[in-house]
Amino acid sequence: MRAALTAELPEEIVLHAEEDLRPFECDGLSAYRRLPMLAVLPSTIEQVQAVLRICYAHDTPVVARGAGTGLSGGALPLESGVLLSLAKFNRILDIDTANRRATVQPGVRNLAISQAVDHLGLYYAPDPSSQIACSIGGNVAENSGGVHCLKYGLTTNNIIQIEIVTIEGERLTIGSPALDSPGYDLLALMTGSEGLLGVIVEVVVKLLPKPELAQCALIAFDDVRKAGNAVAEIIKAGIVPAGLEMLDHPAILATEEFVHAGYPTDAAAILLCEIDGTEGEVADDMARVREVVESSGATDIRISRDDVERALFWAGRKAAFPAMGRISPDYYCMDGTIPRRALADVLIGIGELSEQYGQRVANVFHAGDGNLHPLILYDANQPGELENTEAFGGAICRLCLEYGGTITGEHGVGVEKIDQMCVQFPSAELTQFHAVKAAFDAKTLLNPDKAVPTLHRCAEFGAMHVHHGQLPHPELERL
Ligand SMILES: Cc1cc2nc3c(=O)[nH]c(=O)nc-3n(C[C@H](O)[C@H](O)[C@H](O)COP(=O)(O)OP(=O)(O)OC[C@H]3O[C@@H](n4cnc5c(N)ncnc54)[C@H](O)[C@@H]3O)c2cc1C
């Protein structure tokens, strides 16, 4: 493979020495690590085409990688595969203020887009907490969300066109610069496809005007159930906050010690509720938020007086994951989504599971979207703790499904949730997923064994849907 690649590409962009490959051994889910056979760092679309064409000809699997901040092992390399890094695709190609759009390369960092258009009074709305590092290509591949997605939508609602390279090396433009295009919505299909259908080499994102004013309320509760119910009540009242996030007691403690954001350390839970718009809209909505949370049992409400205080309130939330490093050697970030009205019950259920599995958990999450992020605290150096953590995580996924939710909200399936896919989807649906994959990648070379489990795998996992006592696909060997 090295000879084949270097015959067409500059030798220095094909990495093969162990010390050069080591940085690519894992993504943000560092519990799983593997060295790729080779890593390639192209800087032009023609080079990406060449890599994919050569891999296709040699039946060699390819894993695309953005910034490697993914939390489900999506960019985990394959020992017999090529790791295709898009890190060098880091240029903003065009800013079109008349149409409020930007054309960017996939390796551009999420926050860099907003920074580049800040002087124009514009910004890119989806804001994952990892936005200082994660790439827009990774955001599209994961359909990433963030604090602002409750009001402004996920990545899928904020892009209008992408360019991909297929595994055969063909360039395809998907979507259109117009508001809508006829035919199937392949752009939505590509968004969240976790590197299984094509390699994204260009993205056209929508830009929004920065709101005139934004204020954030820091709301404390003495009971998690009251905080969970307050979230549902705010939405029920017809208010659409620009962000509505929750931290429970363990998360508040760890974060406050780390960032000193002024969080009340005696609270059982806090909500951060941001309202944006014109001065009048913000004043009206904030008054209504106050009314709703007071009648939901809030013990303290503080409203940011200026942008400095607002940034401080958010600084805690944005640093909540790293803050876990102060209280635990390792943490495992789960990601499930549930209907908002079930928030309180599911949080209490997670607390019960925490006792059952004997492991601590901190919750910090996008409450308005019902998107949970239980952080299971563990020590990878203790034999058996990772396995127990994985089992605990699986139980949280099942809990989300019991309440009508899904096993992932925004972090993707990757390798982490692949077995839980067997629990959420019947085999008929998984078969259709494979048919979609085959339409783009018949040889299954793009990020294989991620995101969509084979029926064999589900049979081994023992989690196939059994209808009226009849196991689907009886022809499959059960191991
Ligand atoms: C501290 C922390 C906080 C986070 N907070 C959030 C959050 O609030 N919201 C959220 O949604 N996520 C969050 N994440 C997860 C992660 O940042 C996102 O999933 C992000 O979109 C990944 O981008 P990346 O560039 O790092 O992609 P990578 O990790 O490199 O890759 C992710 C997946 O995308 C594929 N991929 C990457 N680039 C391409 C490409 N050009 N073409 C095709 N496939 C590609 C990879 O194969 C892989 O399957 C967080 C992560 C961390 C570490």
Side-chain angles (χ1 to χ4, degrees):
M1 276 309 291
R2 198 176 140 208
L5 288 164
T6 50
E8 282 198 44
L9 298 163
E11 206 159 314
E12 66 276 11
I13 71 165
V14 181
L15 310 183
H16 59 90
E18 189 191 329
E19 62 270 29
D20 291 336
L21 299 178
R22 191 60 70 190
F24 304 106
E25 69 178 349
C26 67
D27 61 7
L29 181 62
S30 55
Y32 307 121
R33 290 162 196 259
R34 244 177 351 219
L35 283 186
M37 173 175 67
L38 294 169
V40 189
L41 279 87
S43 54
T44 67
I45 295 180
E46 290 70 27
Q47 288 178 346
V48 173
Q49 288 179 286
V51 174
L52 292 172
R53 232 184 12 246
I54 293 165
C55 287
Y56 184 74
H58 288 78
D59 289 338
T60 300
V62 187
V63 177
R65 179 183 173 102
T69 66
L71 289 170
S72 56
L76 184 71
L78 295 164
E79 278 143 3
S80 58
V82 167
L83 191 287
L84 177 60
S85 166
L86 280 305
K88 288 188 180 170
F89 284 80
N90 59 1
R91 283 185 304 128
I92 294 178
L93 301 173
D94 183 47
I95 294 169
D96 174 357
T97 45
N99 289 304
R100 289 213 309 253
R101 279 163 202 169
T103 304
V104 303
Q105 291 189 320
V108 169
R109 290 177 306 112
N110 172 296
L111 188 60
I113 302 176
S114 292
Q115 286 168 340
V117 295
D118 185 61
H119 66 289
L120 301 166
L122 300 170
Y123 76 115
Y124 174 64
D127 54 347
S129 303
S130 52
Q131 67 182 150
I132 52 165
C134 66
S135 75
I136 188 73
N139 291 178
V140 175
E142 297 286 8
N143 190 19
S144 293
V147 167
H148 283 107
C149 293
L150 174 62
K151 183 166 182 180
Y152 298 105
L154 298 160
T155 303
T156 189
N157 309 111
N158 287 279
I159 58 171
I160 55 159
Q161 183 176 301
I162 58 173
E163 184 159 344
I164 66 161
V165 178
T166 67
I167 185 66
E168 288 100 334
E170 190 186 355
R171 277 171 85 152
L172 294 182
T173 300
I174 294 180
S176 101
L179 205 58
D180 193 12
S181 55
Y184 295 116
D185 188 355
L186 296 181
L187 186 58
L189 176 65
M190 290 303 300
T191 316
S193 60
E194 299 193 30
L196 269 73
L197 304 182
V199 175
I200 300 152
V201 288
E202 207 169 282
V203 185
V204 183
V205 301
K206 295 182 194 170
L207 301 171
L208 295 182
K210 282 199 287 185
E212 188 182 303
L213 181 70
Q215 269 189 332
C216 181
L218 169 57
I219 308 158
F221 292 86
D222 57 8
D223 176 9
V224 170
R225 185 173 282 282
K226 288 182 195 165
N229 290 338
V231 171
E233 290 301 318
I234 290 171
I235 304 294
K236 195 169 119 191
I239 305 162
V240 188
L244 184 53
E245 304 279 304
M246 192 195 288
L247 284 82
D248 71 359
H249 185 65
I252 296 168
L253 276 187
T255 306
E256 183 54 23
E257 278 173 22
F258 183 37
V259 181
H260 310 296
Y263 292 173
T265 47
D266 56 345
I270 59 166
L271 293 181
L272 290 170
C273 179
E274 178 148 306
I275 300 291
D276 66 6
T278 61
E279 215 177 307
E281 283 167 343
V282 173
D284 279 0
D285 277 357
M286 245 338 161
R288 289 168 66 211
V289 167
R290 185 184 276 281
E291 236 171 73
V292 172
V293 298
E294 273 173 356
S295 56
S296 301
T299 51
D300 188 29
I301 306 166
R302 267 189 282 155
I303 295 170
S304 61
R305 285 160 296 188
D306 51 32
D307 271 352
V308 175
E309 192 172 26
R310 185 171 73 90
L312 187 64
F313 287 176
W314 284 116
R317 164 61 183 95
K318 297 253 173 186
F321 286 16
M324 293 304 139
R326 301 176 66 83
I327 56 170
S328 172
D330 299 284
Y331 71 86
Y332 196 102
C333 175
M334 295 299 299
D335 167 47
T337 303
I338 50 164
R340 275 183 292 260
R341 65 184 147 64
L343 267 180
D345 287 334
V346 173
L347 286 174
I348 287 163
I350 292 172
E352 287 164 4
L353 286 172
S354 163
E355 279 180 26
Q356 190 183 322
Y357 283 86
Q359 277 183 252
R360 292 178 300 158
V361 64
N363 288 287
V364 41
F365 59 100
H366 311 305
D369 296 311
N371 183 194
L372 300 169
H373 289 324
L375 304 170
I376 306 175
L377 309 181
Y378 75 105
D379 183 353
N381 287 327
Q382 296 303 320
E385 269 206 20
L386 174 61
E387 292 72 18
N388 195 51
T389 301
E390 288 173 326
F392 183 5
I396 292 176
C397 287
R398 288 193 295 279
L399 184 67
C400 291
L401 290 177
E402 265 171 45
Y403 280 89
T406 69
I407 57 161
T408 169
E410 54 183 18
H411 294 171
V413 175
V415 289
E416 183 207 8
K417 302 276 181 59
I418 192 142
D419 289 334
Q420 275 73 39
M421 286 289 281
C422 309
V423 185
Q424 179 161 352
F425 293 103
S427 51
E429 215 156 336
L430 292 175
T431 304
Q432 295 307 320
F433 287 165
H434 285 295
V436 173
K437 164 84 169 153
F440 284 85
D441 175 20
K443 290 191 186 180
T444 321
L445 295 175
L446 285 171
N447 222 359
D449 300 325
K450 310 256 181 80
V452 184
T454 60
L455 299 184
H456 269 103
R457 187 181 177 114
C458 291
E460 276 184 56
F461 182 62
M464 274 187 151
H465 285 236
V466 179
H467 185 62
H468 291 308
Q470 287 175 326
L471 208 55
H473 297 277
E475 74 282 5
L476 290 180
E477 186 190 354
R478 261 69 184 180
L479 305 171

